[in-house]
Amino acid sequence: MFDYCARPELLKDRVILVTGAGRGIGAAAAKTYAAHGATVLLLGKTEANLTQVYDEIEAAGHPQPAVIPFNLETALPHQYDELAAMIETEFGHLDGLLHNASIIGPRTPIEQLSGENFMRVMQVNVNAMFMLTSTLLPLLKLSQDASVVFTSSSVGRKGRAYWGAYGVSKFATEGLMQTLADEVDTVAPVRSNSINPGATRTSMRAQAYPGENPLNNPTPEEIMPVYLYLMGPDSTGINGQAFNAQ
């Protein structure tokens, strides 16, 4: 496990947007960031799940989060512009962006992977991630010390059979992270890095490995040290790096 111990007020007064914040790793990250002082913007497609995370953060006495229902599969360019305008109006700037939302798609040989399924995975995992990054970058540049964290995978670092669209999308994730890192290096107070969560006890993992005992994998909460490290000031100057949570 990534070895890092965050101080309680690590993210005090920071505004951080988390995609896929309604469950799994996204929900854990949102609650963890809030517990360390951040105002968290909870973005996801299922409002009921986001509201539950919101209620848990409120009940714990942490800074009031914001719920942003947003469907990354169907969002049009003008909706990203409206999202950025809303964040600027309400919060003035953005200190962090965690790209966590993604879908796995069918695990099948490329020969049997339909174009429709391939494009759906790329829409959520790559196109939407690009749109969010490019649209929110001006708000991140208004921060004194901003961090963009991309969620990768071991199959986005070395290709493996039958991971098709998902694997390709994670290679694209690493590419976008590296490209952004090189662009902002020394010219903006923004850093860009990726995390491979590894085998974690989530519904996506269960979908990918139905025969596996989920209790053998750590919970999302247990892999949070690297998420805190990269989102807080202790990682200032770390840019363009690929991290493993485990």
Side-chain angles (χ1 to χ4, degrees), residues 201 212-218:
R201 208 179 304 168
E212 179 182 77
N213 181 358
L215 297 179
N216 292 336
N217 299 326

Side-chain angles (χ1 to χ4, degrees), residues 44-67:
K45 69 177 181 181
T46 309
E47 191 166 0
N49 291 349
L50 299 175
T51 302
Q52 185 177 342
V53 176
Y54 176 100
D55 290 344
E56 288 178 39
I57 291 172
E58 280 264 278
H62 303 318
Q64 184 181 19
V67 169

Side-chain angles (χ1 to χ4, degrees), residues 8-189:
E9 297 285 286
L10 180 78
L11 304 175
K12 184 174 166 56
D13 299 328
R14 293 189 178 225
V15 180
I16 298 171
L17 187 145
V18 176
T19 73
R23 59 195 181 117
I25 292 171
K31 289 185 273 191
T32 300
Y33 292 157
H36 287 79
T39 297
V40 184
L41 314 185
L42 308 166
L43 186 144
K45 69 177 181 181
T46 309
E47 191 166 0
N49 291 349
L50 299 175
T51 302
Q52 185 177 342
V53 176
Y54 176 100
D55 290 344
E56 288 178 39
I57 291 172
E58 280 264 278
H62 303 318
Q64 184 181 19
V67 169
I68 305 176
F70 198 89
N71 190 332
L72 296 171
E73 190 176 346
T74 58
L76 298 170
H78 73 88
Q79 291 172 286
Y80 290 93
D81 293 334
E82 289 162 8
L83 171 66
M86 181 276 288
I87 293 171
E88 184 170 21
T89 301
E90 295 289 326
F91 302 99
H93 70 284
L94 197 59
D95 299 294
L97 171 58
L98 171 61
H99 288 295
N100 166 75
S102 60
I103 58 173
I104 204 160
R107 288 187 61 204
T108 182
I110 284 172
E111 189 177 6
Q112 294 165 20
L113 180 62
S114 74
E116 184 182 356
N117 276 323
F118 181 85
M119 286 187 277
R120 179 170 177 253
V121 171
M122 297 303 278
Q123 180 64 27
V124 175
N125 297 9
V126 182
N127 299 351
M129 183 178 61
F130 165 79
M131 289 299 296
L132 271 178
T133 303
S134 61
T135 311
L136 297 177
L137 203 50
L139 291 174
L140 289 158
K141 287 180 174 178
L142 294 175
S143 170
Q144 301 295 310
D145 167 41
S147 175
V148 183
V149 178
F150 295 86
T151 303
S152 185
S153 169
S154 60
V155 297
R157 294 176 180 169
K158 185 181 190 306
R160 281 172 57 197
Y162 315 128
W163 280 90
Y166 183 79
V168 172
S169 77
K170 293 304 179 179
F171 270 96
T173 298
E174 292 284 1
L176 182 57
M177 178 277 283
Q178 292 178 23
T179 302
L180 177 63
D182 206 38
E183 285 182 9
V184 298
D185 196 37
T186 73
V187 299

